[in-house]
Amino acid sequence: MRWAAALVFLLGGCAGTGVALFPGENGAQTGAVAVLDPGTGSDVAVLDQANSRSGVRNRRVSVRAETPAALEARYGALLATLPEPPRLFRLYFVEGTADLTPASREALEGLLSEVRRRPGVDVQIVGHTDTTGAEALNDALSLRRAMEIRTLLVGLGLDEAIVRATGRGERELFDPTPDETPSELNRRVEVYVK
């Protein structure tokens, strides 16, 4: 199982502490907490169930399942202060170019609307390619795609200081394909709006 986050708590002699684990988007498992013995460094417990609350007191760990409503009642005010989760937009390109497909051009308005709606926004653009062509050319093309979207967003009024662009070439395929295989799903930029 892949964990998006892992928190580490050290057991204190007489101190008590606790942690609550919430489900991720659409109920997905999002993390775990490893409780370590500070003397030996060994695991005392691993807490990995969403909708649970645990306590650590006097070097003992107790875990109890909670209803989402109970967790909301207990931690709702705290959760309301957390920043909104990032939103991902995928834009696709015509093969071998940095030209957006017509459908992706239409999707730009939703992206811009999301960016304008968020105070203190941060935008990360990651360019990708399919597996056709040489690796070095794909690296350059993926960066060119990301920079094209960055330039477009900055041209529409976004502060260039909040928009970063990188290229990953064919290293992170969305559609796992063999070498030299065209794939529209892989010819993309992923725009993370945080």
Side-chain angles (χ1 to χ4, degrees):
M1 193 174 279
R2 186 177 127 183
W3 303 114
L7 303 175
V8 178
F9 280 80
L10 299 176
L11 293 172
C14 294
T17 189
V19 66
L21 294 178
F22 293 83
E25 291 182 35
N26 302 318
Q29 186 75 34
T30 59
V33 175
V35 182
L36 305 177
D37 183 311
T40 65
S42 62
D43 287 358
V44 174
V46 175
L47 312 172
D48 60 0
Q49 295 303 308
N51 294 319
S52 66
R53 189 165 59 95
S54 66
V56 179
R57 186 167 198 78
N58 298 326
R59 303 177 86 85
R60 294 182 188 260
V61 179
S62 64
V63 180
R64 84 182 194 198
E66 295 279 357
T67 66
L71 286 172
E72 177 66 32
R74 185 175 181 107
Y75 300 107
L78 175 64
L79 292 173
T81 66
L82 296 175
E84 194 174 343
R87 181 139 179 234
L88 170 63
F89 292 85
R90 284 192 181 99
L91 303 172
Y92 299 95
F93 292 84
V94 175
E95 187 172 1
T97 73
D99 299 328
L100 286 170
T101 63
S104 289
R105 284 206 170 276
E106 291 174 16
L108 280 175
E109 188 53 46
L111 167 61
L112 289 170
S113 180
E114 181 70 13
V115 168
R116 289 181 182 131
R117 185 186 68 75
R118 290 183 182 237
V121 71
D122 180 62
V123 179
Q124 175 69 43
I125 305 166
V126 183
H128 301 273
T129 66
D130 60 22
T131 60
T132 61
E135 188 174 311
L137 293 175
N138 282 338
D139 285 346
L141 178 57
S142 68
L143 181 58
R144 197 168 92 222
R145 287 174 173 165
M147 292 302 292
E148 181 73 21
I149 299 304
R150 182 183 187 278
T151 300
L152 187 115
L153 293 175
V154 168
L156 292 170
L158 265 72
D159 179 357
E160 65 183 37
I162 65 165
V163 185
R164 293 178 316 282
T166 58
R168 297 294 300 142
E170 59 185 73
R171 287 176 195 78
E172 297 171 0
L173 300 174
F174 186 74
D175 176 21
T177 60
D179 200 27
E180 298 302 323
T181 305
S183 169
E184 181 179 10
L185 294 176
N186 290 330
R187 293 189 303 270
R188 71 197 190 284
V189 295
E190 294 178 337
V191 183
Y192 299 90
V193 180
K194 308 181 230 177

